[in-house]
Amino acid sequence: DAFRAAHAADPAAQLFYNDYEIEGLGTAKAEAVYQLAQRLKAAGVPIGGVGFQMHVDPRHWPAAGVIRQNLERFAALGLSVEITEMDVPVGQIPGDHARKLDEQKRLAHDIVAACVAVSGCSGVTFWGFTDRYSWLNDPKWGALRGRGPHRPLPFDADYNPKPMAVGIAAALAGN
């Protein structure tokens, strides 16, 4: 009903279902969202796409190929797919600071590259720009990703690009 009402209010609007922890294959939530999308499309509901909130948890995260396969199956339904709210916290990544930043760069690169590889993937949005204002700086939310500091965004607290920014740029360039 919400999709139909929104479509009636603005027939040109692209309407998306957006959710977290649906990036992998085989989880109960990811499968439920896929089945929901199938049912909505089959019923003629004006859904234009699905947003995948990529609040990465490096402690348990699907491989890039799995993320790509999942994006592809939603796109095969005729939906646009987007990576939304992306951040990659480093607190629980093993190693020294340089190792953490290298792994953050790899994760961000691989997620963005998965989107670039899927013709129906229409965008990537980060959940902020600089570590200075990350939602994970709040102890309540940061605890969800374990030990901090999390430093989850492409630019540090002083607005300097981190290796993550380089990885994102490389993925967008097809490298």
Side-chain angles (χ1 to χ4, degrees):
D1 290 342
F3 280 97
R4 287 188 173 107
H7 180 71
D10 184 354
Q14 287 291 333
L15 304 174
F16 276 68
Y17 175 87
N18 188 49
D19 211 339
Y20 65 97
E21 295 180 359
I22 61 169
E23 60 279 335
L25 291 169
T27 67
K29 186 172 183 179
E31 296 310 310
V33 171
Y34 181 74
Q35 291 169 12
L36 172 65
Q38 283 181 310
R39 287 192 312 273
L40 292 173
K41 287 293 287 183
V45 173
I47 180 173
V50 174
F52 294 77
Q53 295 178 20
M54 295 283 175
H55 296 293
V56 175
D57 189 337
R59 297 173 294 182
H60 46 85
W61 195 250
V66 171
I67 294 170
R68 178 180 172 176
Q69 289 174 349
N70 200 25
L71 296 175
E72 286 172 338
R73 74 180 181 147
F74 280 87
L77 295 175
L79 296 168
S80 291
V81 293
E82 292 188 4
I83 294 173
T84 63
E85 302 185 24
M86 186 172 160
D87 51 36
V88 184
V90 300
Q92 291 292 123
I93 296 174
D96 64 12
H97 187 63
R99 168 72 180 104
K100 290 173 183 286
L101 292 179
D102 283 346
E103 180 62 7
Q104 181 186 52
K105 174 184 174 181
R106 184 194 67 78
L107 285 164
H109 170 276
D110 291 354
I111 293 166
V112 173
C115 176
V116 169
V118 175
S119 63
C121 193
S122 56
V124 177
T125 304
F126 290 87
W127 201 232
F129 180 76
T130 170
D131 293 337
R132 179 182 300 257
Y133 300 110
S134 170
W135 69 295
L136 293 173
N137 293 340
D138 181 317
K140 173 185 173 186
W141 299 111
L144 295 174
R145 296 297 179 257
R147 180 185 70 252
H150 295 295
R151 300 181 182 114
L153 296 166
F155 292 81
D156 70 17
D158 295 320
Y159 296 87
N160 296 306
K162 294 170 19 190
M164 179 182 181
V166 175
I168 294 162
L172 290 171
N175 300 322

